[in-house]
């Protein structure tokens, strides 16, 4: 299993970024996939997930600002982040999920992460 994130960077508050995660080594379309993040001095937290039948779920802190999507033909997961806030500053991780629910994802594999920094 290999997961490689990209698309991180530095933006001002109110800006947007689109993260991508290219997956390989497994049957991507059969799995629920998720995004997590870990801010400075904080524990890793779930951000969003999407099932194999395209049902998405979001943490309350990002709902209505972030959109998770997947392209099964390209084995790629995306996270569109709009209206970014300084508190969104974190390393963002792509994850393959062993299972997904409305309030989380049981991650079994992780990418190395991509840094997002939002300045005020």
């Amino acid at each position: 299993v290999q997961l490689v994130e990209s698309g991180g960077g530095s933006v001002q508050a109110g800006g947007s970024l689109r993260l991508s995660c290219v997956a390989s080594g497994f049957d991507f379309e059969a799995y629920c996939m998720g995004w997590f993040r870990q801010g400075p001095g904080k524990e890793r937290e779930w951000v969003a997930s999407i099932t194999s039948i395209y049902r998405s779920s979001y943490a309350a802190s990002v709902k209505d600002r972030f959109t998770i999507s997947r392209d099964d033909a390209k084995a790629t997961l995306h996270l569109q982040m709009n209206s970014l806030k300084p508190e969104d500053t974190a390393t963002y991780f792509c994850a393959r999920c062993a299972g997904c629910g409305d309030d989380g994802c049981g991650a079994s594999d992780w990418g190395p992460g991509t840094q997002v920094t939002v300045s005020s």
Side-chain angles (χ1 to χ4, degrees), residues 30-98:
Y31 282 85
C32 179
M33 298 293 296
W35 287 99
F36 288 73
R37 68 185 181 186
Q38 187 166 15
K42 299 181 181 179
E43 294 187 352
R44 191 171 298 188
E45 64 175 355
W46 169 73
V47 173
S49 52
I50 185 167
T51 71
S52 60
I53 57 172
Y54 294 84
R55 179 177 177 176
S56 57
S57 300
Y58 298 91
S61 60
V62 306
K63 190 173 175 61
D64 298 326
R65 299 189 297 122
F66 291 10
T67 302
I68 190 171
S69 62
R70 62 190 298 159
D71 182 342
D72 288 344
K74 296 182 179 179
T76 301
L77 182 71
H78 298 288
L79 185 68
Q80 178 67 42
M81 307 186 294
N82 298 330
S83 302
L84 283 161
K85 304 175 181 180
E87 51 263 44
D88 294 317
T89 294
T91 300
Y92 283 72
F93 300 90
C94 170
R96 182 176 74 159
C97 304

